[in-house]
Amino acid sequence: MPPTRRMVERARDLRRKMTAPEVRLWQWLRTPPGGFRFRKQHPAEPYVFDFYCPAAKLVIEVDGEAHSRGDQPKRDAARDEWCAQQGMRVIRIAATDVMRDLDAVSRAIMIACKEEGADFPSTAFGGPPPHAAHGEE
């Protein structure tokens, strides 16, 4: 079902108001990495995704600190469940990780894109996979 005019306008507004971590990640995603094309602030009634890759059915959400407060974790879980019901996978990436280690974030995204049909868990509040160069496991 196509998005409503209201959702399209909301997505346009969000594109104009992207956060610094979203802008930084978009600079990499727009290339298109690994041949995967991404859309920014993609409307999918009733939500607008930060980034979406149709070929991989992958939603990428960049979560700031506010996503850990109040009822936001519950709302994020409901969104993730809705996406799963639509056949989409969601990865949540902490905004601080985008700013601190874009290389590790980009590797996690490429892994998610290439593992079609994989049950990729949300990475919110845990960040991307460990960075081997830092001796992490």
Side-chain angles (χ1 to χ4, degrees):
M1 172 153 111
T4 63
R5 178 183 287 293
R6 183 180 71 83
M7 289 300 293
V8 171
E9 288 301 319
R10 184 170 170 233
R12 285 181 183 154
D13 185 52
L14 289 170
R15 284 184 204 117
R16 288 188 290 270
K17 297 176 181 176
M18 289 175 65
T19 65
E22 290 171 340
V23 170
R24 185 159 193 233
L25 184 56
W26 177 243
Q27 293 303 313
W28 178 73
L29 290 173
R30 68 188 296 197
T31 58
F36 290 97
R37 294 184 181 269
F38 289 85
R39 299 174 184 165
K40 65 180 177 179
Q41 302 302 336
H42 176 70
E45 194 79 40
Y47 301 108
V48 176
F49 305 138
D50 289 344
F51 303 102
Y52 179 63
C53 177
K57 294 184 180 180
L58 180 67
V59 175
I60 300 171
E61 290 294 316
V62 178
D63 290 347
E65 188 265 332
H67 281 263
S68 64
R69 289 194 256 140
D71 70 339
Q72 193 61 47
K74 189 180 209 178
R75 293 171 58 194
D76 288 346
R79 173 189 274 225
D80 292 354
E81 177 62 29
W82 182 87
C83 288
Q85 291 171 356
Q86 308 306 310
M88 296 180 262
R89 294 171 293 135
V90 178
I91 60 171
R92 293 185 169 278
I93 300 170
T96 55
D97 290 334
V98 173
M99 300 306 284
R100 183 179 50 224
D101 195 352
L102 184 60
D103 184 52
V105 168
S106 63
R107 283 194 319 275
I109 292 169
M110 284 293 87
I111 289 168
C113 285
K114 292 175 183 176
E115 291 184 6
E116 185 177 328
D119 184 19
F120 222 81
S122 173
T123 57
F125 316 116
H131 194 290
H134 295 248
E136 300 171 10
E137 295 181 350

